[in-house]
Amino acid sequence: MTTTLSPASAPGDAALADHGRDYEALAERLDRRGKSAEDVVERVRRFEVALPSWAFGTGGTRFGRFPGPGEPRTLDEKLEDAATVHRLTGGAPRVSLHIPWDDPKDPAALRERATSLGLGFDAVNSNTFQDQPGQPLSYKLGSFSHPSAAVRKQAVEHHLHVVEVGKSLGAEAITVWLADGSNYPGQMSLRKSFERVRDCLHEVYAAMPQDWCLFTEHKPYEPSFYATVVQDWGSSLLLAQSLGDRAQCLVDLGHHLPNTNIEMIVARLAGVGKLGGFHFNDSKYGDDDLTAGSIKPYGLFLVFHELVLAERDRLPGFSPAYMIDQSHNIKDPVEDLLQTVDQLQLACAKAWLVDHEALAGYQEEGDVVMAERTLKEAFETDARPIVAEARRRAGAALDPLAAFRASGYRAQKARERVGGVVETRGL
Ligand code: LRH
Ligand code: MN
């Protein structure tokens, strides 16, 4: 059942007129700074991020989950929610599936359905961090790093299945995050476990289509609390370099110990042509999977600043896959994703507002204060009229959250999505 957003969600003339004035005023101010608002609007229009199939339902923690009304029960209903996020933001035309949580019964039908909703599929995600019902061998003590060749073989076969699903949906990449690790010193061989992971990844890499990419995703801890095999960007880079050109590193913003300089990791990986993509979110302590830009908006801006520098410098092999990875524990999942896409569009706009020539000059001259001020000037610019204008030109909403609330979409879904079997899963 396709839901059209009610006319109430369309911006009123007053809102449009206010926006027009705000945009003109900002454009005039930027023009005095030698910046073209029009250029940045185009940059925001080109920015696209993929939505995580596992985050359209309410997420939870080991302490509890508080599901809300009208949550999707099927992959089809998740696509409906994804289409709503894309329609209102103009910037989320793809979905990233997690297998087996969202293993489609009929991939061809799903692909057709997605196309009819204006959606495509981004990198597919494997899952060897849980045992599935009827699974012969357990991943309790690891998957690719497991001492048992039979367990490793089972895990490789799962990845080959994920690649097949992705191929049937038109995806062109697989993201491999492994929970593999240990909780106690001595439990696991720190070198052999890494070598086993590398060798299993080589099997997946060799089996995937020639035009595909493999993204390795590092994480310092959880669910392992002493050692995680792919613990940091260095381990991820070693694997990607060992595999080949079509293997790159995925940076999940939440997978770094407190106070890690993530933008520098981004600069390092981009500098060696190994920045494959992102899982955008935000965090205060651990892998909190909070709304991107909600805790460290300046940090998010500094990551986008490195992305803009890499694009301006035309770094070889630079075309990262932008994806979201969040767990919506207390907010409406669609509202959380609308906020997230908005924050990413905003960080993108602000990063393109940096006076790059001036910044390079101050860096060369060693003028620390003016260099910092040049960055802050862009970050402290209220670029929301630029983002709203980019959305207006894409036929999306000036204010996606307000439009979503005015549409009554969630209330309608709460009426429609009653009972029935819940076929899909998530965090
Ligand atoms: C691990 C992770 C990974 C996904 C999972 C849902 O924490 O970031 O990217 O597979 O979350
Ligand atoms: Mn992730």
Side-chain angles (χ1 to χ4, degrees), residues 52 54 97-98 101 125-129 175-179 217-219 221-223 250 252-255 279 281 287 289 324-327 426-427:
W54 58 95
L97 288 190
H98 217 297
W101 288 341
N125 298 265
S126 61
N127 176 344
T128 57
F129 50 85
T175 297
V176 180
W177 169 68
L178 301 172
E217 181 180 359
H218 60 275
K219 183 174 180 178
Y221 71 96
E222 188 209 36
L250 182 137
D252 184 313
L253 300 188
H255 290 185
H279 277 177
N281 49 55
D287 188 19
D289 281 340
I324 294 167
D325 179 3
Q326 290 175 184
S327 179
L427 276 178

Side-chain angles (χ1 to χ4, degrees), residues 92-119:
R94 283 180 298 282
V95 174
S96 187
L97 288 190
H98 217 297
I99 310 294
W101 288 341
D102 293 306
D103 203 340
K105 291 194 204 65
D106 180 346
L110 185 76
R111 188 172 184 174
E112 211 179 301
R113 172 74 167 136
T115 307
S116 73
L117 290 167
L119 296 171

Side-chain angles (χ1 to χ4, degrees), residues 131-404:
D131 288 341
Q132 305 306 324
Q135 182 180 302
L137 302 167
S138 173
Y139 294 132
K140 175 180 175 182
L141 296 177
S143 63
F144 284 177
S145 70
H146 201 289
S148 149
V151 173
R152 299 198 298 273
K153 183 168 179 296
Q154 176 183 274
V156 169
E157 279 159 7
H158 163 66
H159 282 76
L160 302 189
H161 167 67
V162 174
V163 169
E164 285 314 309
V165 172
K167 278 161 61 178
S168 61
L169 295 172
E172 295 173 345
I174 180 171
T175 297
V176 180
W177 169 68
L178 301 172
D180 291 41
S182 59
N183 281 0
Y184 304 97
Q187 172 189 337
M188 173 184 80
S189 159
L190 298 180
R191 260 190 302 109
K192 288 206 182 80
S193 56
F194 187 76
E195 288 155 9
R196 288 193 285 255
V197 164
R198 180 199 58 210
D199 298 347
C200 288
L201 283 172
H202 271 275
E203 290 184 56
V204 178
Y205 186 84
M208 70 185 193
Q210 287 308 307
D211 60 351
W212 268 47
C213 277
L214 184 152
F215 301 144
T216 55
E217 181 180 359
H218 60 275
K219 183 174 180 178
Y221 71 96
E222 188 209 36
S224 300
F225 295 105
Y226 166 64
T228 295
V229 180
V230 188
Q231 183 155 37
D232 54 23
W233 69 278
S235 307
S236 180
L237 182 58
L238 285 174
L239 292 171
Q241 288 173 330
S242 156
L243 291 167
D245 295 348
R246 292 175 299 110
Q248 297 187 311
C249 305
L250 182 137
V251 177
D252 184 313
L253 300 188
H255 290 185
H256 302 90
L257 298 175
N259 307 325
T260 298
N261 188 325
I262 302 173
E263 58 272 21
M264 192 157 78
I265 294 172
V266 170
R268 288 282 172 284
L269 293 173
V272 293
K274 283 294 186 185
L275 182 64
F278 286 86
H279 277 177
F280 289 118
N281 49 55
D282 209 338
S283 51
K284 179 81 176 155
Y285 303 103
D287 188 19
D288 311 340
D289 281 340
L290 301 173
T291 314
S294 62
I295 306 293
K296 307 186 288 283
Y298 192 48
L300 183 65
F301 163 78
L302 292 173
V303 164
F304 271 83
H305 172 56
E306 290 304 326
L307 297 173
V308 168
L309 290 174
E311 195 160 333
R312 282 171 51 87
D313 298 346
R314 301 183 191 292
L315 292 187
F318 179 79
S319 67
Y322 298 129
M323 300 175 275
I324 294 167
D325 179 3
Q326 290 175 184
S327 179
H328 305 129
N329 299 355
I330 59 172
K331 294 179 181 178
D332 177 297
V334 168
E335 293 195 357
D336 205 324
L337 289 166
L338 292 172
Q339 283 186 294
T340 303
V341 178
D342 175 57
Q343 283 293 306
L344 297 173
Q345 290 171 323
L346 201 54
C348 172
K350 290 182 178 210
W352 281 103
L353 284 174
V354 172
D355 183 338
H356 295 103
E357 288 71 30
L359 179 64
Y362 294 132
Q363 288 174 341
E364 293 309 309
E365 292 156 24
D367 188 336
V368 176
V369 173
M370 287 310 292
E372 186 209 11
R373 189 169 115 147
T374 306
L375 266 193
K376 273 290 186 72
E377 184 174 48
F379 176 68
E380 288 158 0
T381 301
D382 179 359
R384 289 177 294 180
I386 283 178
V387 173
E389 180 59 15
R391 289 198 284 252
R392 187 189 68 77
R393 293 181 192 182
L398 294 175
D399 180 343
L401 189 63
F404 178 72

